Amino acid sequence: MTKKSPINKTISVIIPVFNEQENLAWLHDKVAKYLADRDLDFEIIFVDDGSNDGSLAAMKQLHTQNPKTVRYLALSRNFGKEAATSAGLSAVKNDAAIIMDADGQHPVELIDTFLELWHAGNDVVVGIRTSNINEGFVKKYGSKLFYAMLKVIGGKTAVAGTTDFRLIDRKVIDSFNQLTERNRVTRNLIDWLGYQRVEVPFEAAERHAGQAAYSFQKLLKLALNGIVSHSTRPLKVIALLGLLISTLSAILGVVLAAQKYIFGDPLGLSVTGSALLALFVTFLVGIVLVCQGLLALYIESVYYETQNRPLYLIKESS
Ligand code: UDP
Ligand code: MG
């Protein structure tokens, strides 16, 4: 069955790979067969992220067998999925890129919907994971907790389940390639870029073969990074907390001291000197927190400067 797309466009499928030797040929056949039926030119770019199994050899073989449709890049060591994806994106010359995992968890069948929405004028088509059949307890609830935290801390309505499985248009790729920050979470950065965006829910499949490489530690790092690089609200919360502590302890201290020393303890509280001292110390702790928050705001502005993101991005012009 041939699905005709309105214009003959070219797309690149970017697949970051870390120790996926049993998945590559299988996934390649699936994707290549699927896309060959569509009226578009495609290529698959495998990015080997320093695998220590036969993944690189497998992609070389796929490239030899399909020199026109398969390309590969090999990073010098394991830099992480985010870096691997960026490497893939900077190698794309086509009209759009689709990013997908090598393990088959991202359903190839969704690509038709991605393409349709792209042809309809969307620049970023995002796969939203509704459920994961074989997700571990920690990961499942960890990610729920993360999004709840992000909402509170980051003050953003982050979409739960947002993934790297997405299609992005040429102009978004060009904008992405302008970003220079080192600590990056690809999906957050693409969302930061803006442009016409649409979401598509999907159910993540089980891994075809092998084991997920993301350890709890790596995920935690990714989560912290996601919060820190996109929100400075935690810094402001510290300063506000300090202000609250100082104000409350100051009021309480003044009221109690006046009650005891000026009015001669009419309430019969017999507040001791050390209680007042404790209040004074609390007051000072609050002041320290406020100062820390202020310092943090300076660091924030330095941080944003060093991220060196483009000041703006132009969607179109006459
Ligand atoms: N991956 C990578 N570098 C890494 C870890 C993972 O390129 O350091 C790739 C991996 O080969 C897969 C994708 O990133 O294509 C998602 O990894 P995984 O399946 O381990 O994570 P999860 O499904 O738990 O998100
Ligand atoms: Mg996976």
Side-chain angles (χ1 to χ4, degrees):
M1 191 181 70
T2 304
K3 296 229 170 137
K4 291 278 174 197
S5 51
I7 324 148
N8 198 353
K9 289 190 171 178
T10 57
I11 64 161
S12 303
V13 179
I14 297 169
I15 306 181
V17 174
F18 179 61
N19 294 348
E20 307 273 9
Q21 60 177 0
E22 291 122 89
N23 293 325
L24 293 187
W26 169 81
L27 185 73
H28 166 269
D29 290 352
K30 213 170 151 177
V31 174
K33 197 165 165 281
Y34 187 85
L35 290 176
D37 284 346
R38 271 63 190 170
D39 190 19
L40 43 75
D41 286 331
F42 71 94
E43 62 172 2
I44 299 173
I45 305 179
F46 289 107
V47 185
D48 177 38
D49 183 19
S51 302
N52 41 38
D53 66 351
S55 294
L56 182 57
M59 17 181 123
K60 282 184 178 165
Q61 196 186 352
L62 286 168
H63 169 68
T64 316
Q65 290 162 353
N66 315 274
K68 286 214 182 84
T69 52
V70 173
R71 286 163 70 198
Y72 67 87
L73 305 170
L75 306 188
S76 59
R77 62 168 170 86
N78 180 243
F79 282 91
K81 181 186 179 184
E82 311 302 322
T85 311
S86 293
L89 280 173
S90 53
V92 173
K93 297 200 180 64
N94 285 344
D95 299 324
I98 293 174
I99 305 168
M100 69 190 297
D101 282 0
D103 55 10
Q105 290 198 282
H106 294 163
V108 175
E109 298 72 33
L110 210 66
I111 291 180
D112 264 345
T113 317
F114 279 17
L115 293 173
E116 252 166 54
L117 289 165
W118 175 46
H119 291 316
N122 294 289
D123 303 314
V124 182
V125 187
V126 184
I128 303 285
R129 198 182 55 220
T130 51
S131 68
N132 199 337
I133 299 164
N134 213 6
E135 214 167 29
F137 177 84
V138 173
K139 218 164 173 181
K140 189 167 174 184
Y141 291 96
S143 105
K144 282 219 170 100
L145 189 71
F146 171 66
Y147 283 104
M149 250 167 58
L150 199 65
K151 220 172 189 166
V152 175
I153 301 175
K156 297 205 175 106
T157 42
V159 188
T162 174
T163 64
D164 287 324
F165 185 31
R166 46 182 72 198
L167 178 148
I168 61 178
D169 183 78
R170 178 76 247 166
K171 32 180 195 280
V172 186
I173 301 171
D174 288 336
S175 299
F176 186 87
N177 290 339
Q178 282 183 43
L179 300 175
T180 57
E181 61 208 83
R182 312 180 59 78
N183 262 332
R184 42 176 66 193
V185 182
T186 313
R187 46 182 178 267
N188 295 350
L189 280 179
I190 294 177
D191 289 343
W192 178 84
L193 292 172
Y195 296 102
Q196 185 68 36
R197 183 178 187 278
V198 64
E199 291 164 2
V200 181
F202 76 94
E203 202 163 295
E206 272 186 59
R207 222 171 205 285
H208 176 247
Q211 294 231 314
Y214 268 91
S215 59
F216 180 68
Q217 211 183 343
K218 265 189 182 172
L219 280 176
L220 194 68
K221 202 173 142 204
L222 198 70
L224 282 177
N225 210 324
I227 293 178
V228 171
S229 65
H230 288 271
S231 166
T232 51
R233 202 190 252 200
L235 302 178
K236 289 164 192 152
V237 169
I238 293 177
L240 278 179
L241 192 71
L243 202 63
L244 192 75
I245 291 175
S246 283
T247 313
L248 286 182
S249 50
I251 293 174
L252 202 62
V254 168
V255 168
L256 288 185
Q259 195 272 147
K260 179 176 166 122
Y261 296 114
I262 300 178
F263 301 108
D265 203 10
L267 300 177
L269 293 177
S270 0
V271 179
T272 59
S274 28
L276 287 176
L277 188 65
L279 271 177
F280 187 61
V281 171
T282 315
F283 171 75
L284 289 184
V285 168
I287 299 273
V288 169
L289 281 180
V290 171
C291 293
Q292 239 180 40
L294 273 181
L295 266 182
L297 291 180
Y298 284 101
I299 295 177
E300 172 197 346
S301 72
V302 174
Y303 177 67
Y304 278 141
E305 289 297 330
T306 55
Q307 270 187 336
N308 210 8
R309 288 199 193 162
L311 204 50
Y312 52 79
L313 297 159
I314 293 175
K315 191 157 83 176
E316 52 186 286
S317 63
S318 66

